[in-house]
Amino acid sequence: MATQSLIPAGDYRTTYAADTTIFPTAGSRYAVWAGLALLCCAPLVLDRYWLSLLIQIGYFAVAALGLNILVGFTGQISIGHAAFFGFGAFASAWLSNNYGIPVFFAIPLAGVMTTAVGLIFGLPAARLKGLYLAIATLAAQYILQDFFARANWFTGGVAGTAADAFSIFGFSFDTDHRYFYVVLAYLVLTFVLATNLMRSRDGRALVAVRDHYLSAEMMGINLTRYRTLSFGLSAFFAGIGGALYAHYLQFVSVEGFGILLSIQFLGMIIIGGLGSIMGTLMGTAFMVLVPEAMGWITDAVRGSALDRALSLKDNLSFLREMAIGLVIVLFLMFEPDGLAHRWRQIKAYWKLYPFSH
Amino acid sequence: MLRLSLASATVLALAVPALAAEIPIGHLADQSGATSDVGVPYAQGVADALAYVNRKGGIKGEKMNVEMVDYGYQVPRAVALYKKWTGGRDKVAAIQGWGTADTEALSAFVTKDEIPYISGSYAAQVSDPTGASGKAKAAPYNFFYGPSYSDALRAMLMWAADDWKAKGKTGKPKYVHMGGNHPYPNSPKEAGEAMAKDLGFEVLPAIVFALAPGDYTAQCLTAKNAGANYAYLGNTGGSNISLLKSCKSVGTDIQFMGNVWGMDENAAKAAGEAANGVVFPVRTAAVSGSTAPGMAMAAEISKVSDAAGTAYRPVHYYTGICAALYMTEALAWAKDNGGLAGPNVRKGFYQKKDWVPAGMEGVCVPSTWSPTDHRGMMEVHIYRAKVSGPTDGALPDLMKAGTIKLEPVKTVTLPRKSEWQGW
């Protein structure tokens, strides 16, 4: 991991508060505020296609953040994250459809319900590690998916269920332009939450469990508690992300939450950077945008001289799928520490320019 | 680093898609999902027909800008695509859809947004535009070309009841519904079982087998041990092939009845002798090799994607053509009568009775849609797949040699009973 610090020489910290600040420099703080302000203007300038991509990045990032807490910060593994994402989606739809709970409250409640489920499935984590735990979470994936397909009362069975649009005081957030703000609010909230969690005593305990569980135990950290807690936390974020997804599409189907999505979540955090909050967002954006970018490129190539010369025709769409895989493989080969690492290097480059060290 | 930033900026700039101002049409296709075996030829038929109409000048002089997307038979992807197509300034004038689960999921959306949606799903649940039947929600913007899954099954059960008598067998024949636990195979389950009971069948508990190819020996043994005589296969070709092969090796004596997507020339070739004798409904009045007048235009359309004109087109291809052409004629009517807004296009479907798209006589079955009834046709053409030898070799040769044949068995015209609507 790159550890180049951007703090100017001579800038000494004299309090713990100053040392644990989220934004080490004023520049980074202003940049985040400016970025947020820009995002708030996005619905005014972007069309629905771009907004839908941003919304997609938003709800996936919230869920991926949960997985990063589990995998990146605590060092556990889970290949059942999509099932928790799905549980949150169904739970939120179920609460608002059957109990008349406004969607506004159903989303956090769905997060709480998913936490409970996550804690149950996290229990093996107290005993299992590595590949054994991976298989246990795979079981969670299949158990929950089967539950979704059979529990008609909860999920509508294989036919799926409708989910109401998000609304406050009768004002419905049923278009992409409006729903964008809902997702943005949740994204900011959950990212601030996770950042603060990692600065807290419990967050440091999680990192200690990851770095050396024996040392952590000797320091008095309750391994069982923190490993299970990590699953609960991870499920909470997955549940919130799932609920946001449900009320965006306004329809939830068991088909959306397969093992493939679980792997994609892992891809998001690995590409973004394990153990990096900002990296989670970058990795999610990467995973959402790469297939789209490949789509634009194939559209541009279709019918062009290149297409005719190689007579690609229908094979173009398959080339697209393969290219997505290739991009990811190349990325992992040349950027194994994730986008967050690259971002730190870019910042260091500009900071030190024209010198390289 | 500078170069990297520049390069990525260039890629981004190049990647911005070009915009075209024509009649936007959405086309959902399954080319990689669980139903892609039949989704590919159907989507090709739709795409070729729309491209052909464009070549001939489009909709009254205005071309269609068709966006075909492979959604992999995943409902969430279909919903996301729908949202993309219906937002902003380039809202689609109509959508060519596909699966039952996604058609049902989108039904409420297309009603709200008033987007005519021509589906590849013939679920009876989306055939009631007013909801007056009380058996399904109102689906005023859903259309499909073909008999509903339930009506097709009813017709096949009528045939089966006659077949049982014709074979001189006594006692109650046993009927079993087989298919994946998915909205599409489940769609005609209740209607079929109710009809079977009425016709004097003994109805056995349904047997589930997955919508994807696999080993279905266990399911075949269950059906064999239960003594099933007639079985409905609710899945598409690929998984049905596996089941038919498993059942052949188990040695069952069951008359299988596929649904409209359950059997075609490719499936008969893949299943070989296991497919021999399977009956299934065909939605067009002609299949490849027929001499119906409309086949000339179908051949022209086929040349859009196969300039040499040698490709063999299975039944689903012709169905795709018909589904697309009904839509373009409704669009053309709307353009002349107040514009391409959804409610107008919908009205376009109601203008004629027993209607065949121009040039497709003898291929598309005359269909009628009305504001109160979206069951386009009550006519069910039942065919039997005949396989009389090894099916190695190219499909066109096998069809030419008669190793694989699609034999018309019976055409059943069902009464347009109001109590059958919506289920």
Side-chain angles (χ1 to χ4, degrees), chain A residues 48 158 245 248-249 255 296, chain B residues 15 73-74 76 83 87 109 181:
Chain A
R48 200 169 160 179
V158 284
Y245 163 83
Y248 172 57
L249 286 190
E255 287 174 48
W296 305 328
Chain B
Y73 205 55
Q74 295 278 327
K83 293 207 148 214
F109 291 110
N181 185 20

Side-chain angles (χ1 to χ4, degrees), chain A residues 47-50 52 149-150 158-159 174 176 245 248-251 253 255-256 292-293 296-297 300 314 317-318 342 345-346 349-350 353, chain B residues 1-2 4-5 11-12 14-17 31 44 73-76 79-80 83-84 86-89 101 104-105 109 112 181-183 186:
Chain A
D47 65 9
R48 200 169 160 179
Y49 171 63
W50 284 97
S52 72
R150 286 169 204 278
V158 284
D174 56 354
D176 290 30
Y245 163 83
Y248 172 57
L249 286 190
Q250 293 168 38
F251 184 81
S253 157
E255 287 174 48
E292 297 299 319
W296 305 328
I297 292 170
D314 296 345
S317 38
F318 302 109
R342 174 58 53 188
Q345 286 191 325
I346 291 173
Y349 175 87
W350 288 108
Y353 191 81
Chain B
M1 191 58 64
L2 268 173
L4 186 75
S5 324
V11 167
L12 271 178
L14 283 175
V16 174
Q31 295 175 306
Q44 192 67 59
Y73 205 55
Q74 295 278 327
V75 181
V79 180
K83 293 207 148 214
K84 183 184 153 193
T86 52
R89 51 187 184 277
E104 284 185 33
F109 291 110
K112 190 175 143 218
N181 185 20
H182 190 271
N186 284 342

Side-chain angles (χ1 to χ4, degrees), chain A residues 10-351:
Chain A
D11 179 2
Y12 294 112
R13 306 288 166 80
T14 49
T15 60
Y16 282 120
D19 201 36
T20 54
T21 180
I22 296 178
F23 303 112
T25 60
S28 61
R29 189 163 54 239
Y30 294 144
V32 166
W33 283 117
L36 268 179
L38 268 179
L39 277 175
C40 285
C41 300
L44 306 176
V45 282
L46 296 180
D47 65 9
R48 200 169 160 179
Y49 171 63
W50 284 97
L51 280 178
S52 72
L53 288 180
L54 289 180
I55 291 172
Q56 214 178 335
I57 293 171
Y59 58 68
F60 278 141
V62 171
L65 186 60
L67 190 63
N68 215 343
I69 291 176
L70 185 70
V71 182
F73 286 103
T74 323
Q76 310 278 67
I77 183 87
S78 170
I79 44 179
H81 204 61
F84 297 113
F85 183 76
F87 191 88
F90 281 120
S92 193
W94 179 69
L95 287 170
S96 62
N97 289 348
N98 295 305
Y99 298 98
I101 296 173
V103 174
F104 186 80
F105 297 109
I107 294 178
L109 280 176
V112 173
M113 279 175 73
T114 317
T115 309
V117 176
L119 286 173
I120 295 168
F121 281 102
L123 283 178
R127 299 255 169 214
L128 301 175
K129 281 205 308 274
L131 283 175
Y132 299 93
L133 183 58
I135 300 303
T137 55
L138 182 68
Q141 168 81 42
Y142 281 108
I143 291 169
L144 282 176
Q145 239 184 303
D146 195 58
F147 170 73
F148 296 156
R150 286 169 204 278
N152 267 312
W153 57 274
F154 184 60
T155 64
V158 284
T161 182
D164 288 340
F166 187 93
S167 65
I168 305 173
F169 304 121
F171 183 79
S172 185
F173 288 75
D174 56 354
T175 65
D176 290 30
H177 288 80
R178 293 173 185 173
Y179 199 73
F180 174 79
Y181 291 107
V182 177
V183 174
L184 184 63
Y186 266 99
L187 185 74
V188 171
L189 195 73
T190 48
F191 271 65
V192 169
L193 206 70
T195 309
N196 278 325
L197 173 76
M198 286 310 141
R199 300 193 303 158
S200 73
R201 185 186 159 84
D202 289 327
R204 288 199 303 273
L206 293 179
V207 174
V209 171
R210 173 193 71 189
D211 287 349
H212 203 288
Y213 72 94
L214 259 180
S215 313
E217 197 167 22
M218 282 199 267
M219 285 162 70
I221 292 170
N222 184 338
L223 285 187
T224 307
R225 178 161 170 259
Y226 278 104
R227 279 182 175 154
T228 319
L229 176 76
S230 176
F231 262 89
L233 278 170
S234 150
F236 174 76
F237 287 105
I240 297 279
L244 287 171
Y245 163 83
H247 296 292
Y248 172 57
L249 286 190
Q250 293 168 38
F251 184 81
V252 203
S253 157
V254 57
E255 287 174 48
F257 313 116
I259 180 90
L260 196 66
L261 183 62
S262 288
I263 305 292
Q264 272 175 342
F265 277 128
L266 274 175
M268 286 171 195
I269 59 165
I270 292 171
I271 285 173
L274 288 173
S276 162
I277 304 272
M278 207 55 212
T280 309
L281 188 57
M282 292 174 176
T284 312
F286 183 88
M287 287 294 270
V288 171
L289 295 178
V290 160
E292 297 299 319
M294 288 299 157
W296 305 328
I297 292 170
T298 47
D299 283 350
V301 171
R302 184 163 289 142
S304 69
L306 190 69
D307 184 5
R308 281 195 299 276
L310 300 173
S311 62
L312 294 167
K313 284 185 195 160
D314 296 345
N315 298 330
L316 259 178
S317 38
F318 302 109
L319 274 180
R320 179 189 153 214
E321 302 294 322
M322 283 190 270
I324 295 170
L326 185 70
V327 166
I328 292 173
V329 169
L330 288 177
F331 195 87
L332 293 177
M333 280 170 70
F334 296 108
E335 202 62 78
D337 288 333
L339 285 166
H341 170 73
R342 174 58 53 188
W343 177 238
R344 277 192 290 268
Q345 286 191 325
I346 291 173
K347 282 198 292 189
Y349 175 87
W350 288 108
K351 182 86 187 166

